[in-house]
């Protein structure tokens, strides 16, 4: 004997119980199966059906698949085209519309009066929309709705500018606390309600703050964390659709990788950053210098020569000195030459470049000098002197560099490289042993730092 609707419903309940499903879970699974999503179907509709109400025909294949049942005798319904007279004498459709994706001949045979009223209201609303601006204005208000108060973005921009302008004069750990707090504030605003334009601006600010944090982590000797912050800055630059943020992130990453003895990755970062940097921007100039020195670091003399010519063209257009973390100046790019020539084993040319940088740094007023960049130029000169056999001069310059009042990881890294040059001579020069002991006492990150 064919199963009755009651028998089929009982088997359905039993199948749900076997799976541990109640109305809510069955509604969730049906919603997913229909393509509405896990919340696309209300549990009350499923509960009504499981307590004896009529089920929509279009549920059949999904329920049968989900519960492994044959529900055809129960779920068959009259044709959706059937029109009947209800008790009030009103003509009503026998079914309600199926959801998107359901076959056109399927529908719900319940709530006929509600379906007709809904259709009538929809038709009236459509007619009213033709002359009323209400719907359009509502969409506009929603688009422009924001939880960001007036002046908030200007405040964040001002804090970022202040942080980068005073980077060289601020102890690294203090600058880290400030930048980390601003980055967290920006992240919180991004999670709140904001306009699309505000969202892109927040992403830009977040990216730049992450680059600052990358430089600070580098200054304090945390290369892995520094690179992670640069990757975050790059990702936010992409979301903000501001290529210059991506360029600055890769500029920092190139330096971080270079000082972490990964010249190949440093070159890759410089190449990608140069591709993002807007023409004529400070970032483009900085990355031209990065391409030059990272090409030298991997020993590609032909690539270095081409990149160096490009960097020199930028030097001709730049001011002699620049201020701020995100700036470019002629002295910085020329100082890159010393590192490049040392990597290419050309100590005489490296010494000329380093001494020229030292003279340039000393030519500006004391308060405008960059002690960290001066120390790095001194260490480049010291390494060149050591390669030329002038050990006493190399030691004197190395000691001057260690007296820097803004000690950062870049200085200790260059000092280690200088010690490698001096090590073969340590038995004949006791001063080298003393210099080695001095370098071991240097602490990074306590006295501030300048992103090199």
């Amino acid at each position: 004997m064919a199963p009755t609707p009651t028998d089929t419903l009982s088997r359905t309940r039993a199948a749900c119980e076997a799976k541990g499903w109640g109305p809510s879970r069955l509604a969730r699974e049906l919603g997913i199966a229909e393509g509405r999503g896990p919340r696309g179907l209300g549990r009350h509709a499923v509960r009504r059906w499981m307590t004896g109400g009529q089920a929509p025909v279009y549920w059949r294949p999904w329920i049968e698949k989900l519960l492994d049942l044959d529900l055809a005798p129960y779920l068959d319904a009259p044709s959706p085209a059937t029109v009947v007279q209800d008790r009030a004498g009103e003509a009503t459709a026998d079914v309600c519309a199926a959801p998107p994706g359901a076959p056109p001949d399927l529908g719900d045979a319940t709530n006929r009066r509600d379906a007709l009223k809904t259709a009538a209201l929809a038709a009236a609303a459509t007619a009213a929309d033709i002359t009323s601006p209400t719907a359009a204005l509502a969409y506009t208000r929603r688009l422009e709705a924001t939880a960001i108060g007036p002046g908030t973005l200007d405040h964040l921009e001002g804090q970022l500018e202040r942080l980068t302008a005073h980077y060289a004069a601020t102890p690294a750990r203090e600058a880290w606390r400030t930048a980390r707090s601003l980055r967290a504030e920006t992240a919180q605003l991004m999670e709140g309600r904001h306009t699309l334009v505000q969202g892109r601006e927040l992403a830009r600010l977040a990216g730049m703050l992450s680059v600052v944090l990358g430089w600070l982590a580098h200054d304090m000797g945390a290369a892995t964390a520094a690179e992670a912050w640069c990757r975050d800055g790059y990702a936010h630059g992409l979301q903000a659709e501001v290529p210059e943020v991506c360029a600055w992130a890769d500029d920092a990453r190139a330096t971080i990788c270079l000082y972490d003895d990964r010249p190949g990755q440093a070159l890759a970062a410089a190449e990608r950053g140069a591709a993002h940097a807007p023409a004529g921007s400070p970032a483009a100039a900085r990355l031209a210098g990065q391409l030059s020195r990272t090409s030298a670091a991997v020993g590609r003399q032909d690539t270095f020569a081409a990149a160096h010519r490009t960097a020199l063209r930028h030097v001709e257009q730049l001011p002699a000195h620049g201020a701020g973390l995100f700036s470019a100046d002629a002295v910085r790019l020329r100082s890159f030459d010393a590192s490049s020539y040392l990597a290419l084993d050309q100590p005489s040319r490296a010494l000329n470049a380093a001494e020229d940088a030292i003279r340039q740094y000393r030519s500006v007023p004391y308060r405008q000098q960059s002690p960290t960049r001066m120390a790095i130029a001194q260490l480049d000169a010291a390494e060149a002197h050591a390669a030329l056999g002038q050990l006493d001069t190399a030691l004197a310059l190395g000691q001057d560099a260690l007296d820097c009042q803004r000690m950062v990881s870049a200085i200790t890294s260059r000092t280690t490289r200088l010690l490698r040059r001096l090590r073969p001579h340590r038995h004949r020069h006791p001063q080298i042993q003393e210099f080695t002991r001095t370098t071991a006492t240097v602490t990074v990150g306590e006295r501030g730092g300048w992103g090199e």
Side-chain angles (χ1 to χ4, degrees):
M1 185 174 66
T4 65
T6 302
D7 293 334
T8 307
L9 186 56
S10 296
R11 291 207 308 275
T12 302
R13 289 176 183 161
C16 286
E17 290 174 2
K19 287 179 171 285
W21 292 3
S24 296
R25 179 59 185 275
L26 183 56
R28 171 186 172 84
E29 297 299 329
L30 278 171
I32 294 173
E34 291 181 17
R36 301 188 187 196
R39 297 185 180 180
L41 187 64
R43 68 189 295 269
H44 60 279
V46 175
R47 181 179 291 279
R48 278 201 311 269
W49 169 58
M50 294 184 74
T51 55
Q54 182 75 24
V57 177
Y58 59 80
W59 284 7
R60 180 197 303 171
W62 294 312
I63 291 177
E64 288 178 330
K65 182 177 180 180
L66 290 170
L67 301 178
D68 193 23
L69 293 173
D70 179 13
L71 302 182
Y74 180 65
L75 289 179
D76 280 335
S79 167
T82 302
V83 177
V84 299
Q85 293 292 121
D86 70 6
R87 282 175 293 183
E90 297 174 341
T92 60
D94 201 34
V95 294
C96 295
D105 60 335
L106 298 179
D108 193 339
T110 62
N111 300 323
R112 297 187 300 273
R113 187 191 304 274
D114 289 344
L116 185 62
K117 290 180 178 178
T118 300
L121 289 172
T126 301
D129 282 349
I130 295 174
T131 58
S132 173
T134 303
L137 293 174
Y139 288 136
T140 304
R141 284 194 298 270
R142 184 170 183 81
L143 177 67
E144 295 176 345
T146 178
I148 298 177
T152 300
L153 295 178
D154 288 341
H155 164 74
L156 288 172
E157 182 69 38
Q159 292 288 89
L160 173 62
E161 290 179 359
R162 188 175 300 108
L163 181 65
T164 57
H166 299 287
Y167 192 97
T170 308
R173 295 187 187 278
E174 179 184 333
W176 174 271
R177 287 191 293 269
T178 301
R180 193 71 179 87
S181 175
L182 289 171
R183 182 65 182 83
E185 182 181 354
T186 306
Q188 186 176 18
L189 290 170
M190 290 179 71
E191 292 175 0
R193 194 169 189 176
H194 53 71
T195 67
L196 295 176
V197 173
Q198 289 173 336
R200 285 193 291 270
E201 180 62 12
L202 286 169
R204 183 190 70 82
L205 290 166
M208 294 298 283
L209 286 165
S210 286
V211 177
V212 174
L213 289 166
W215 276 118
L216 287 166
H218 165 64
D219 283 350
M220 294 185 286
T224 302
E227 196 168 359
W229 282 113
C230 290
R231 290 180 185 275
D232 182 69
Y234 183 92
H236 279 79
L238 288 179
Q239 292 297 316
E241 299 181 335
V242 181
E244 193 166 10
V245 177
C246 300
W248 284 123
D250 276 338
D251 168 67
R253 191 172 170 223
T255 295
I256 291 161
C257 291
L258 191 64
Y259 278 85
D260 199 38
D261 292 325
R262 291 179 286 145
Q265 293 182 36
L267 175 58
E271 288 174 335
R272 187 175 70 168
H276 281 292
S281 67
R286 278 264 286 270
L287 282 154
Q290 294 280 27
L291 277 173
S292 176
R293 70 169 176 175
T294 54
S295 295
V298 298
R300 298 182 183 175
Q301 294 203 32
D302 53 342
T303 307
F304 163 74
H308 188 242
R309 287 193 295 271
T310 302
L312 289 179
R313 287 197 293 270
H314 281 281
V315 166
E316 294 171 358
Q317 306 297 322
L318 292 172
H321 299 277
L325 184 59
F326 299 116
S327 65
D329 54 75
V331 181
R332 186 196 301 260
L333 265 63
R334 292 304 296 265
S335 68
F336 286 175
D337 288 352
S339 301
S340 299
Y341 290 128
L342 284 170
L344 296 171
D345 197 24
Q346 299 178 28
S348 295
R349 300 185 74 174
L351 181 58
N352 290 336
E355 289 180 337
D356 181 58
I358 291 170
R359 284 193 296 270
Q360 291 287 342
Y361 289 138
R362 284 176 174 162
S363 69
V364 298
Y366 176 77
R367 291 186 177 276
Q368 298 177 24
Q369 291 180 3
S370 171
T372 302
R373 287 166 63 184
M374 169 69 85
I376 291 170
Q378 289 171 329
L379 287 167
D380 281 337
E383 189 176 347
H385 278 294
L388 294 169
Q390 301 160 358
L391 303 183
D392 291 339
T393 306
L395 287 167
L397 284 166
Q399 188 58 58
D400 286 345
L402 290 183
D403 290 337
C404 177
Q405 294 304 303
R406 295 187 178 90
M407 184 60 60
V408 295
S409 178
I411 295 175
T412 59
S413 175
R414 290 291 179 91
T415 303
T416 300
R417 202 166 72 182
L418 173 60
L419 287 172
R420 285 200 294 267
R421 290 273 191 181
L422 294 171
R423 190 170 292 119
H425 309 283
R426 64 185 183 279
H427 299 299
R428 291 181 289 114
H429 287 80
Q431 300 93 329
I432 296 176
Q433 301 285 6
E434 180 62 28
F435 181 68
T436 302
R437 287 191 290 271
T438 301
T439 61
T441 66
V442 173
T443 302
V444 170
E446 297 297 334
R447 289 176 282 175
W450 181 277
E452 193 271 330

